[in-house]
Amino acid sequence: QPQSGGETILQVTGCKHDVVGDIVNGTFTLTTTTNHGRNVYKKNTKTAAGLEVHVYYWDDRDGANFNGWYFGQRVGGDEVWAYHPGKGSPNPPSGGWQVPYDGPVDHVMSVSERQTGGG
């Protein structure tokens, strides 16, 4: 991978859920697209079932209950694995994710953003 200018990545660790952990843990790269005014990230590897994984923001256009950050197969798609009601966060929140999306908060799961290369 070219490291010249560096890139923004998300590192996701600690999710212990039997199914969701393998899907969300890993490295995500910032994409060139945005959704509802915020960045979209894509996992560098696919799931065991060959699915892509994205991290994206959804605003309140479909109601306040849908407002927040998601781990999902497609941006705005029906298949989502984790959810965070962090409306005010410009970037994916570091903790407090619900895994699965309608389940309890996973207090160990951590999302951290960092720059690679370029310095």
Coordinates of all heavy atoms in Angstrom, one line a residue, residues 11 20 55 62 78 112:
Q11 N -9.0 1.8 13.7 CA -8.7 0.5 14.3 C -9.7 0.1 15.3 O -10.0 0.9 16.2 CB -7.3 0.6 15.0 CG -6.7 -0.7 15.3 CD -6.3 -1.5 14.0 OE1 -5.7 -0.9 13.1 NE2 -6.6 -2.8 13.9
V20 N -20.5 -10.9 15.8 CA -20.2 -9.5 15.4 C -18.7 -9.2 15.6 O -18.1 -8.5 14.8 CB -21.0 -8.5 16.2 CG1 -20.7 -7.1 15.7 CG2 -22.5 -8.8 15.9
V55 N -18.3 1.8 8.1 CA -18.7 2.6 9.2 C -19.2 3.9 8.7 O -18.5 4.5 7.9 CB -17.5 2.8 10.2 CG1 -17.9 3.7 11.4 CG2 -16.9 1.5 10.7
D62 N -34.9 9.8 9.1 CA -35.8 8.7 9.3 C -36.3 8.6 10.7 O -36.9 7.6 11.1 CB -35.2 7.4 8.9 CG -34.8 7.3 7.4 OD1 -35.6 7.9 6.6 OD2 -33.8 6.8 7.0
D78 N -29.8 -2.4 5.2 CA -30.6 -3.1 6.3 C -29.7 -3.9 7.2 O -30.1 -4.2 8.3 CB -31.7 -4.0 5.6 CG -32.7 -3.2 4.9 OD1 -32.9 -2.0 5.3 OD2 -33.4 -3.7 4.0
S112 N -10.6 3.5 17.3 CA -9.6 4.7 17.4 C -9.2 5.1 16.0 O -9.0 4.2 15.1 CB -8.4 4.3 18.2 OG -7.7 3.1 17.6

